[in-house]
Amino acid sequence: MSRFRSVWSRVAPWAAQNADGAIALVLAVVVGVLGIMPDDMFGKPPEGDKVQQQLVSAATLVILALVATALLRDRVRQAPVEETITSGALADLPARLARLDEIDGLVTGTRKALDALQLVRVLGSRQEIAQAHAEARKDTTRWSFRGGTGTYLRAVTLPECVAAARRVKRHLTVRVEIVDPTNAEVCETYAHYRRSLSDAPDGTGETWTTDRVRKESYATILAAFWYRQRYGLLDIGVGLSATMTTFRWDLSATRLLMTVEDPNRAMTALAGTFFYENCDTELRLSFEQARRVPLEKYKKVPLSDEPTVEEVQDLFERIGVPLPRSYNEHDVVDIARKALRALNPYAG
């Protein structure tokens, strides 16, 4: 008995809440039972058949009425929900989507503004600086340099950019501005500046003297001609400046790097930022004001894979940047070595 009460206590609330469905279910069972019962249960034919058919028809009508009642009740219950959805959330959906578009535009504009405000990022180690240079060289189609003598340019930047461009047969534009090796005053000023920061040899194992500044600049000019003769898609220009700068600018198609004499400190900015665009303009105008080396004469002064002393001397005579008369064969060989086998001054 207790078990029956337990079952009934669980079934009764459901039956009360779904009375119409429960009654329809019971009647459906009754109709099914009536349909399979023997005809003589309701009397002799044909009266028994008639009674059975009347019971089945009546029960069927009651079931249909209950089903209709249940459907109407569900529709009445759903009407407020549908009205709320239709007149509320769905009606406001176009406005909400438009608002989301406005917010997305606002976020995009804010992000661009923040990127522009963050003019530069400071790099604080050799590894970071080397990585930034590698990212700048990757797939670039142009490179602008302005600095002292272009030692790192000859050791790493120029050979790697030319090699990458040659692999995919890509055009490469390079603009280089260095101190004028024929200007003794600027060479001495640059050497004095470098010595004032450190008397110790740099990564090449050499200390900075006026003569070294002169040779390094001559080597950059020689390297420009040598690479121009060996890669037809290289458009390279060299400008000679009568003034020195304490910064070294390296600008590719994707980023700008500004390095100083401290090998663990540098600044970088991505293309498209305010700082990048203004530095690009600065480098262009500075290059236009520098004394131009006639690189267009590269066909008239052929250089061997290992340039000879006579080839190097002839080159500088023909382009109007003559070597000092005091230079002997050893000095010319030293310039050729620096041009094609330059040591990375920031290695180690």
Side-chain angles (χ1 to χ4, degrees):
M1 188 68 177
S2 60
R3 184 175 180 182
F4 173 78
R5 289 178 180 176
S6 176
V7 173
W8 176 251
S9 64
R10 291 195 300 269
V11 173
W14 177 87
Q17 188 176 2
N18 301 276
D20 46 5
I23 294 172
L25 178 62
V26 171
L27 289 176
V29 172
V30 171
V31 170
V33 172
L34 291 175
I36 63 174
M37 291 182 66
D39 297 338
D40 55 6
M41 289 287 296
F42 302 95
K44 297 181 180 180
E47 290 81 3
D49 292 344
K50 186 176 180 180
V51 171
Q52 185 180 20
Q53 291 175 1
Q54 290 176 347
L55 289 173
V56 171
S57 299
T60 302
L61 290 174
V62 173
I63 292 173
L64 291 175
L66 290 171
V67 171
T69 302
L71 290 174
L72 291 173
R73 185 191 62 180
D74 289 342
R75 182 168 297 177
V76 170
R77 288 177 179 176
Q78 292 175 2
V81 178
E82 293 177 353
E83 182 179 359
T84 300
I85 294 175
T86 304
S87 63
L90 290 179
D92 296 340
L93 187 58
R96 291 171 183 263
L97 291 176
R99 181 60 178 165
L100 286 176
D101 289 338
E102 292 178 4
I103 293 174
D104 183 63
L106 180 61
V107 170
T108 302
T110 303
R111 184 181 295 112
K112 290 181 178 180
L114 291 174
D115 290 341
L117 288 174
Q118 187 180 0
L119 297 181
V120 296
R121 183 166 65 92
V122 176
L123 307 177
S125 68
R126 292 174 183 262
Q127 292 75 21
E128 276 191 299
I129 296 172
Q131 179 63 31
H133 271 283
E135 291 175 358
R137 291 191 299 267
K138 185 179 180 181
D139 300 329
T140 189
T141 56
R142 69 186 186 101
W143 195 280
S144 296
F145 170 82
R146 182 188 177 195
T149 61
T151 307
Y152 183 82
L153 179 83
R154 281 179 278 111
V156 180
T157 305
L158 189 55
E160 292 199 6
C161 285
V162 171
R166 181 181 281 117
R167 280 195 296 270
V168 295
K169 300 177 177 59
R170 181 177 59 232
H171 183 268
L172 177 64
T173 301
V174 178
R175 294 292 177 264
V176 180
E177 185 180 345
I178 55 176
V179 296
D180 190 342
T182 64
N183 188 320
E185 183 178 354
V186 70
C187 290
E188 171 57 33
T189 301
Y190 185 74
H192 180 268
Y193 169 72
R194 296 297 297 266
R195 286 198 308 270
S196 68
L197 298 178
S198 175
D199 287 332
D202 61 12
T204 65
E206 298 182 65
T207 57
W208 283 97
T209 64
T210 302
D211 187 58
R212 182 189 172 187
V213 173
R214 186 180 292 119
K215 287 182 178 179
E216 297 284 357
S217 290
Y218 277 123
T220 298
I221 298 171
L222 176 60
F225 275 93
W226 192 87
Y227 282 105
R228 179 64 184 90
Q229 292 177 7
R230 279 154 181 78
Y231 187 51
L233 297 180
L234 173 63
D235 176 14
I236 186 168
V238 178
L240 305 178
S241 177
T243 59
M244 61 153 285
T245 173
T246 59
F247 283 107
R248 284 185 295 273
W249 282 268
D250 284 281
L251 186 141
S252 74
T254 57
R255 70 168 61 218
L256 163 75
L257 283 117
M258 292 179 65
T259 53
V260 292
E261 299 311 321
D262 185 348
N264 295 303
R265 303 289 287 178
M267 295 179 289
T268 183
L270 297 178
T273 61
F274 174 80
F275 192 67
Y276 175 96
E277 298 300 334
N278 280 272
C279 285
D280 188 15
T281 302
E282 169 69 18
L283 293 177
R284 290 174 183 270
L285 292 176
S286 181
F287 183 78
E288 289 178 1
Q289 297 174 68
R291 181 162 75 100
R292 199 69 57 85
V293 175
L295 262 296
E296 64 275 6
K297 294 183 179 181
Y298 72 94
K299 292 182 179 180
K300 299 179 180 179
V301 283
L303 297 169
S304 305
D305 290 342
E306 294 291 337
T308 64
V309 172
E310 292 75 17
E311 289 175 344
V312 175
Q313 290 174 331
D314 185 49
L315 167 68
F316 287 111
E317 286 293 334
R318 285 177 176 268
I319 65 175
V321 190
L323 296 172
R325 294 184 179 277
S326 60
Y327 275 15
N328 55 30
E329 183 176 326
H330 174 77
D331 295 314
V332 176
V333 171
D334 195 26
I335 291 173
R337 177 185 60 80
K338 290 177 179 293
L340 304 181
R341 287 187 292 276
L343 297 178
N344 184 352
Y346 307 109

